[in-house]
Amino acid sequence: MNNNETIIYRGRPSWLNYYLLYLIGISIFVFSYKSGDIYGGILTLIFVIGLSALFRFRYLFTVTEDRIIMRVGLIAKNTNEMQLNHIRAINVRQRIIERILGIGTLITISAAEGEAAVIFKGINDPQGIK
């Protein structure tokens, strides 16, 4: 990104995007607690929170005045970007639970390729960002 570009939006997937992981962790915690292994349950919750943080921080979504950028990776990074004037369509996909949680997926369609080029998965307020 050059120094002249103004950043309009920069974000990562919402913590709520990993709700299934949290439900599994809480279920294991409850099962461990009922079986008398409270420390195993606590370790499971710590592991789940750490895993969701790892998944979340792998992604960085940026919208500037000229382009949209998706970066993936912690050590090795893959970057996918598209000029705003090359966007043919922007779609928002939300399942019912995602609508309740206020998260969703933003899909940009390139005019040149005709297929999804940059996908912002699990972001807060996808309609607002669109």
Side-chain angles (χ1 to χ4, degrees), residues 15-119:
W15 286 100
L16 295 174
N17 187 46
Y18 307 103
Y19 62 90
L20 288 177
L21 189 60
Y22 302 142
L23 287 175
I24 292 169
I26 291 169
S27 299
I28 293 172
F29 174 77
V30 169
F31 178 76
S32 298
Y33 182 77
K34 287 188 176 187
S35 66
D37 184 19
I38 187 74
Y39 296 112
I42 291 171
L43 286 176
T44 299
L45 287 179
I46 292 170
F47 177 75
V48 163
I49 291 169
L51 193 60
S52 62
L54 182 72
F55 289 155
R56 182 176 186 264
F57 285 102
R58 283 184 59 217
Y59 293 92
L60 179 62
F61 308 127
T62 307
V63 178
T64 70
E65 59 192 7
D66 298 324
R67 57 197 170 134
I68 57 174
I69 306 160
M70 179 183 71
R71 289 196 175 104
V72 181
L74 291 173
I75 299 171
K77 298 225 185 253
N78 294 318
T79 302
N80 194 1
E81 65 181 74
M82 183 188 323
Q83 296 292 324
L84 291 180
N85 59 354
H86 292 172
I87 295 175
R88 180 180 55 148
I90 300 174
N91 299 327
V92 174
R93 186 181 67 213
Q94 287 181 303
R95 297 184 193 116
I96 189 159
I97 190 73
E98 291 173 332
R99 276 193 83 185
I100 293 168
L101 296 174
I103 61 176
T105 301
L106 196 72
I107 304 166
T108 59
I109 309 296
S110 171
E113 299 169 10
E115 56 188 61
V118 179
I119 299 173

